């Protein structure tokens, strides 16, 4: 066997990523796949294996990768139905459009709606060596959802340790090059939220509320949960803030205006912006076409820019 020829063939497909060691009839190649996603990693491994194969020699290819530092952004609300899932999906997409590498974890056991919102309803993640492989979505944001792991309607029957286990499996999945995981938490302050803050230590939390006083009181509880655990609250988003008329586009404020901004100021946290109650947001979301993926999106892009700026500072 011509060692230089083997090294040259491997270098031709893997450049400086590969280190070749030849010992008698054994060829060992270590490939550094840092920064590559699973598909590119598999392709590189296959081409290295082919380049190194010499009749009669035993070839071993080991792929290594530096684990990227990945930060979790928890999206939480005090009560259900305020649009937390809608915001999580659109925040994840808008952050990705802004240049971050984002994955989305749907930990909402009460209503895991992300597969529908992200246009991949009915798909199930595969597991490799017991590690889950997130499902690709049309929006460049891979997804893992409680809804993909359990039969519809069964998640609620899960006991605490099971949901904690599922959350761990989703967070520790094969996220490849993702540097940011947006986590859609269930509403309220139960087991999943506690596991999230204690075990998975999110870098920060985004709180979603509607403008009504009661919702804001509940939001305060969610803020307290993160405060007590020492997880910084990035800020508050007001959803369904003002009604955008589907005919003329004029925005009116059936629940008053400025309540959430004042509540954020009172709690000493930044106000990240408001999302109007807009029928177009609901219909696009129901159709698996999140508004943040559209070129004319301003609303979610603005909120994501603030979250990205916070991440760059912290
Ligand atoms: N700004 C908005 N304008 C119009 N509809 C909205 C808006 N935000 C959310 N919705 C709609 O309100 C409903 C509830 O939203 P969503 O599922 O995001 O809330 P949630 O807080 O995640 O609820 P859950 O507590 O069930 O997890 C959905 O039908 C969604 O399409």
């Amino acid at each position: 066997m011509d060692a230089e020829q083997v090294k040259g063939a491997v270098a031709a497909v893997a450049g400086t990523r590969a280190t070749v060691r030849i010992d008698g009839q054994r060829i060992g190649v270590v490939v550094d796949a840092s920064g590559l996603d699973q598909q590119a990693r598999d392709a590189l491994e296959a081409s290295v294996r082919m380049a190194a194969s010499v009749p009669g020699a035993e070839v071993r290819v080991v792929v290594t990768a530096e684990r990227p530092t990945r930060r979790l952004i928890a999206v939480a609300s005090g009560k259900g139905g305020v649009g937390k899932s809608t915001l999580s999906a659109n925040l994840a997409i808008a952050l990705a459009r802004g240049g971050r590498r984002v994955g989305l974890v749907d930990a909402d056991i009460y209503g895991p709606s992300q597969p529908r919102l992200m246009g991949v309803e009915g798909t199930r993640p595969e597991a490799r060596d017991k590690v889950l492989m997130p499902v690709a979505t049309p929006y460049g944001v891979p997804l893992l959802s409680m809804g993909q792991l359990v039969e519809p309607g069964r998640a609620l029957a899960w006991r605490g340790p099971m949901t904690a286990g599922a959350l761990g499996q989703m967070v520790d999945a094969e996220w490849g090059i993702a540097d940011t995981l947006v986590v859609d938490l269930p509403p309220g302050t139960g087991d999943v939220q506690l596991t999230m803050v204690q075990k998975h230590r999110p870098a920060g939390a985004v709180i979603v509320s509607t403008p009504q006083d009661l919702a804001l009181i509940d939001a305060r509880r969610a803020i307290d949960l993160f405060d007590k655990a020492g997880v910084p609250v990035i800020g508050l988003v007001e959803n369904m803030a003002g009604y955008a008329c589907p005919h003329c586009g004029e925005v009116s404020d059936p629940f008053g205006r400025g309540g959430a901004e004042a509540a954020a100021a009172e709690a000493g946290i930044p106000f990240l912006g408001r999302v109007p109650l807009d029928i177009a947001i609901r219909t696009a979301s129901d159709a698996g076409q999140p508004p943040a993926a559209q070129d004319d999106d301003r609303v979610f892009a603005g909120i994501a820019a603030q979250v990205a700026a916070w991440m760059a500072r912290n």
Side-chain angles (χ1 to χ4, degrees):
M1 165 189 354
D2 181 338
E4 288 314 308
Q5 202 175 342
V6 174
K7 285 181 182 170
V10 171
V13 294
T16 53
R17 283 184 182 274
T19 313
V20 181
R21 292 191 69 170
I22 298 175
D23 180 11
Q25 286 302 100
R26 286 207 194 112
I27 302 171
V29 189
V30 178
V31 182
D32 176 7
S34 301
L36 300 181
D37 64 17
Q38 190 63 42
Q39 214 178 353
R41 207 183 286 191
D42 289 349
L44 182 62
E45 183 180 350
S47 44
V48 165
R49 195 174 290 285
M50 200 179 290
S53 61
V54 173
E58 182 193 329
V59 180
R60 286 197 67 184
V61 178
V62 177
V63 181
T64 62
E66 237 173 64
R67 208 188 148 104
T69 39
R70 188 169 297 141
R71 293 195 290 170
L72 271 52
I73 301 295
V75 180
S77 68
K79 69 193 279 289
V82 299
K84 177 182 44 57
S85 302
T86 307
L87 182 85
S88 305
N90 286 285
L91 175 63
I93 292 170
L95 282 171
R97 293 189 69 166
R100 299 200 79 87
R101 292 172 169 151
V102 186
L104 179 59
V105 173
D106 180 7
D108 190 347
I109 41 172
Y110 299 103
S113 49
Q114 294 300 351
R116 180 170 47 83
L117 292 174
M118 298 295 284
V120 289
E121 208 166 14
T123 53
R124 285 196 167 257
E126 286 176 25
R128 266 192 218 171
D129 298 331
K130 297 198 177 143
V131 177
L132 287 173
M133 309 295 294
V135 168
T137 70
Y139 308 109
V141 173
L143 167 72
L144 278 175
S145 167
M146 285 280 190
Q148 296 163 326
L149 303 183
V150 272
E151 297 299 315
R154 288 294 309 277
L156 258 182
W158 280 20
R159 289 189 306 271
M162 289 165 80
T163 46
L167 182 62
Q169 272 194 312
M170 293 195 291
V171 169
D172 295 330
E174 177 47 87
W175 289 102
I177 54 171
D179 54 36
T180 307
L181 291 187
V182 173
V183 186
D184 179 5
L185 288 176
T189 51
D191 281 350
V192 177
Q193 294 83 337
L194 276 178
T195 307
M196 185 74 219
V197 296
Q198 288 170 353
K199 192 156 173 225
H200 302 293
R201 303 299 306 166
V206 172
I207 312 291
V208 189
S209 180
T210 51
Q212 295 92 328
D213 290 346
L214 276 180
L216 287 166
I217 290 170
D218 285 332
R220 180 70 241 190
R221 278 196 206 111
I223 294 169
D224 280 349
L225 174 94
F226 291 102
D227 269 354
K228 284 207 182 95
V231 172
V233 174
I234 301 173
L236 178 74
V237 173
E238 185 180 43
N239 187 31
M240 308 192 194
Y243 173 66
C245 172
H247 305 295
C248 66
E250 192 194 335
V251 177
S252 52
D253 296 290
F255 303 117
R257 190 181 170 87
E261 200 164 356
E266 207 175 296
I269 60 170
F271 181 66
L272 299 177
R274 43 175 62 90
V275 180
L277 176 62
D278 184 346
I279 188 114
I281 292 181
R282 194 181 66 73
T283 47
S285 302
D286 280 351
Q289 291 168 350
Q294 316 301 321
D295 284 335
D296 60 358
D297 165 56
R298 298 284 171 274
V299 176
F300 296 104
I303 294 168
Q306 292 198 63
V307 173
W310 183 92
M311 291 184 79
R313 283 196 307 272
N314 289 274

